[in-house]
Amino acid sequence: MKVRTRFAPSPTGYMHIGNLRTALYEYLIAKTNGGDFILRIEDTDQKRFVEGAEEIIYNTLKRVGMNWDEGPDIGGNYGPYVQSERKPLYAEYAHKLVELGGAHYCFCSAKEADEQKDDEQNIKFKDPCKHLSLEEARARIAAGEPYVIRQTVHKTGTSVFHDVVYGDIEIDYDELDEGVLLKSDGFPTYNFANVVDDHLMEITHVVRGNEYISSTPKYNLIYEDFGWTPPVYVHVPQVMKDAQHKLSKRNGDASFQDLVAKGFLPEAVLNYICLLGWNPGTDEEIFSLEDLKKVFKMERINKSPAIFDITKLTWMNGCYIRALSSEAFHEMALPYYKQVITRELNFKVLSEVLQPRTEVLGQIPEEIKFLENVADYSVELYNNKKMKTDPEVAKKTLALAYEALKEQSSWDNDTLFAALKALAEKEGLKNGQILYPVRIALSGRETTPGGATELAVILGKEETLKRISEALQKLA
RNA sequence: GGUCCCAUCGUCUAAUGGUUAGGACACCACCCUUUCACGGUGGCGAUACGAGUUCGAAUCUCGUUGGGAUCACCA
């Protein structure tokens, strides 16, 4: 049987990290088994629908290269792939389930049911409608009375099911509540739509967060009552913000699109989240989606929750940035340059200097804004013990450097560095006594991406000489 | 509260009864070096606790503690 997995998000306007990781695992389980990955939109809750949310889902999956084989936009043999378009189907199956004894009509209001139950005291809603005869129930429906269809838990004892990650799980049937399957607006709940669709779409592996573990026996009961075969279950642990809280939009935690907006590369984010709760069993950590298709094994998914660590993602993003071709990096970095730079610079050299130093693209503007303007700085900066410089030394060496640089006709790093090095030798100075002050003069900062001569190349001859003479005035 | 699940360095994790408990991030030190970074070398640092089974336990069993999930006409 062909492996088929599905990613079934509800369009609530946001793709969070845990969701994306679930999608990744679903994709990989399909692709490592030569199967199909299906996209299904679960929009049965009309109140939560967010305009444009579907687009975010499509764009995110496309951005990371997880192409779906069937879905709302491209169709397939098991459509439609949007649950609101499948509405009549659920009603049909729900009524059928009533006939099969797996569900019953209920005329109680949501409020009535809610008032009866008590979580603390473990009191469940006991539906009086359960005892209505089918004829009576149908008569009331025919009379126009609003109703829902509730699941009937008709078994006792212990339900056992197997999960790829968690092993065998046992839950007593009397723990199961008889939840609503078909709402009074005619839409199914997740609990029902999910089972019907997974069956009709021939989904073989259901991958979802482990918060569904406790309701899985209810779903299995539905499969059983219909005479259908349940899927293989792969419940995955939560992705946490810290030991107590899971990542969520409410906490203001970063979504995939937030991370990308901050300058994280989609490939790096995907690589990182894959390793949250899964590992290949080797020491390797850097994996492209193509690599993962070769090494992923669902049996190696962990049971315990994993905390999302932005520091490690940042490191990994740096790895991806360094692995970029210099052209690719340059192109990606350019928009960030433009945020703070209006003057003409040697951007090509700037990119060469920045690439090994950049971990997140969003850091770039802050790192380079001194190239646009030198912020006011204290002459104390010229004090550096290791370089054996102070404002007095700087005054002298900057003047020498000015003259030496003024005479240079070719303006590249090797030439400039050789010239200043030769100057130091000639004057009996340490390299640093010239280079350090020049770097301060050009940047006004204690540390900079690149050294003195690299900054000079980036700034160009005219601006370099201008900044050195301004520094000399400051030191005078 | 009932039920279910989880528990190795700060974090992500490896070790499917026998390892000086391994790797990665972070941190620290040193090397490289025109500052910073990159790169290299090294260091710090964990089996939650208590019993049991066993020649031998991070690993199996039980208990304790801690955490999480679930108990919607949300998914």
Side-chain angles (χ1 to χ4, degrees):
Chain A
M1 191 162 69
K2 188 168 197 181
V3 168
R4 291 169 59 85
T5 61
R6 50 49 172 186
F7 178 48
S10 56
T12 52
Y14 169 89
M15 176 73 100
H16 60 86
I17 296 298
N19 257 181
L20 184 60
R21 190 196 59 174
T22 303
L24 209 215
Y25 289 170
E26 284 158 350
Y27 176 83
L28 291 172
I29 288 170
K31 294 305 158 186
T32 51
N33 289 293
D36 287 337
F37 173 61
I38 289 100
L39 179 59
R40 181 173 78 215
I41 301 296
E42 307 215 331
D43 60 345
T44 56
D45 186 355
Q46 298 295 291
K47 293 188 269 308
R48 295 215 304 174
F49 182 79
V50 175
E51 198 64 42
E54 265 184 58
E55 291 306 313
I56 293 177
I57 293 163
Y58 296 154
N59 292 340
T60 303
L61 294 181
K62 278 182 193 158
R63 191 91 186 258
V64 296
M66 278 165 41
N67 299 315
W68 50 100
D69 299 293
E70 297 166 27
D73 55 336
I74 55 173
N77 295 327
Y78 298 81
Y81 293 89
V82 177
Q83 288 186 329
S84 56
E85 292 169 24
R86 300 168 67 81
K87 191 178 170 188
L89 214 53
Y90 306 116
E92 183 192 326
Y93 278 95
H95 289 285
K96 201 158 145 193
L97 191 61
V98 172
E99 277 171 34
L100 292 168
H104 59 271
Y105 298 106
C106 171
F107 302 91
C108 303
S109 70
K111 211 174 136 197
E112 280 173 298
D114 197 51
E115 279 167 357
Q116 221 190 93
K117 64 192 277 301
D118 187 325
D119 294 343
E120 289 306 303
Q121 292 186 53
N122 199 25
I123 298 170
K124 297 204 178 308
F125 170 57
K126 284 198 80 178
D127 186 5
C129 309
K130 198 175 168 181
H131 306 294
L132 258 33
S133 72
L134 199 49
E135 292 69 37
E136 191 179 342
R138 280 180 176 152
R140 286 171 73 171
I141 291 168
E145 206 174 321
Y147 70 99
V148 299
I149 293 181
R150 280 185 185 276
Q151 182 169 17
T152 307
V153 178
H154 50 77
K155 293 185 83 169
T156 52
T158 305
S159 149
V160 183
F161 70 95
H162 184 78
D163 183 87
V164 168
V165 175
Y166 289 93
D168 289 335
I169 306 226
E170 298 185 11
I171 292 172
D172 281 350
Y173 280 110
D174 56 16
E175 287 297 323
L176 272 31
D177 53 13
E178 308 197 306
V180 171
L181 265 23
L182 197 74
K183 304 183 226 179
S184 52
D185 64 3
F187 275 93
T189 60
Y190 166 85
N191 298 324
F192 191 61
N194 182 260
V195 170
V196 170
D197 286 347
D198 285 342
H199 174 258
L200 294 178
M201 293 182 180
E202 295 180 26
I203 301 303
T204 57
H205 293 66
V206 166
V207 185
R208 51 156 80 123
N210 66 8
E211 67 268 26
Y212 291 98
I213 285 180
S214 31
S215 38
T216 298
K218 288 195 288 191
Y219 309 145
N220 279 339
L221 203 50
I222 298 175
Y223 279 101
E224 220 174 285
D225 290 335
F226 275 121
W228 298 340
T229 310
V232 173
Y233 290 109
V234 185
H235 287 96
V236 300
Q238 302 282 356
V239 177
M240 309 289 284
K241 168 206 182 70
D242 56 46
Q244 277 74 33
H245 310 280
K246 61 184 229 176
L247 274 183
S248 75
K249 187 186 185 180
R250 286 185 88 100
N251 293 335
D253 300 325
S255 67
F256 175 80
Q257 44 272 58
D258 292 335
L259 291 172
V260 172
K262 282 182 185 163
F264 288 93
L265 307 187
E267 295 77 10
V269 176
L270 198 73
N271 188 161
Y272 176 70
I273 63 174
C274 189
L275 261 18
L276 243 30
W278 175 86
N279 75 81
T282 66
D283 284 345
E284 277 176 85
E285 292 193 296
I286 304 297
F287 295 102
S288 67
L289 188 58
E290 285 307 306
D291 296 334
L292 289 171
K293 283 191 206 170
K294 297 188 188 93
V295 301
F296 187 83
K297 291 201 171 51
M298 64 180 170
E299 289 77 14
R300 289 196 67 94
I301 297 173
N302 288 136
K303 294 177 172 70
S304 42
I307 298 172
F308 180 85
D309 180 11
I310 191 87
T311 309
K312 182 144 187 179
L313 170 60
T314 302
W315 163 78
M316 191 171 277
N317 201 58
C319 290
Y320 273 81
I321 285 178
R322 273 172 258 133
L324 251 26
S325 69
S326 47
E327 293 76 21
F329 175 78
H330 184 64
E331 215 165 292
M332 280 185 201
L334 216 46
Y336 292 90
Y337 299 162
K338 298 299 177 192
Q339 285 179 24
V340 287
I341 306 290
T342 58
R343 65 168 69 247
E344 263 310 302
L345 293 178
N346 188 333
F347 288 109
K348 209 77 199 168
V349 172
L350 177 59
S351 288
E352 283 168 25
V353 163
L354 243 28
Q355 187 171 359
R357 284 166 239 262
T358 303
E359 289 193 297
V360 181
L361 295 170
Q363 301 166 336
I364 291 177
E366 189 57 33
E367 277 301 298
I368 66 164
K369 65 182 188 193
F370 71 88
L371 293 169
E372 179 72 10
N373 283 305
V374 177
D376 192 34
Y377 63 96
S378 158
V379 294
E380 289 299 313
L381 268 188
Y382 288 100
N383 285 306
N384 187 300
K385 256 173 124 176
K386 199 178 156 202
M387 296 297 133
K388 292 192 164 36
T389 71
D390 57 37
E392 280 310 306
V393 172
K395 202 154 96 179
K396 182 180 134 202
T397 59
L398 281 176
L400 291 168
Y402 184 91
E403 292 307 320
L405 290 172
K406 202 169 118 181
E407 303 198 348
Q408 298 305 319
S409 50
S410 84
W411 200 255
D412 62 84
N413 191 51
D414 289 346
T415 307
L416 299 186
F417 186 67
L420 292 184
K421 203 175 161 185
L423 176 64
E425 206 170 323
K426 186 179 136 212
E427 298 290 332
L429 294 162
K430 284 190 52 143
N431 289 347
Q433 289 177 297
I434 294 179
L435 294 165
Y436 190 83
V438 168
R439 205 170 48 74
I440 301 292
L442 296 184
S443 67
R445 296 193 354 171
E446 197 174 1
T447 63
T448 55
T453 55
E454 284 162 319
L455 295 184
V457 172
I458 292 164
L459 286 165
K461 186 171 182 179
E462 191 187 337
E463 180 67 13
T464 297
L465 293 175
K466 184 170 159 244
R467 290 189 180 192
I468 293 176
S469 65
E470 280 167 1
L472 283 166
Q473 280 170 34
K474 194 180 176 83
L475 286 162

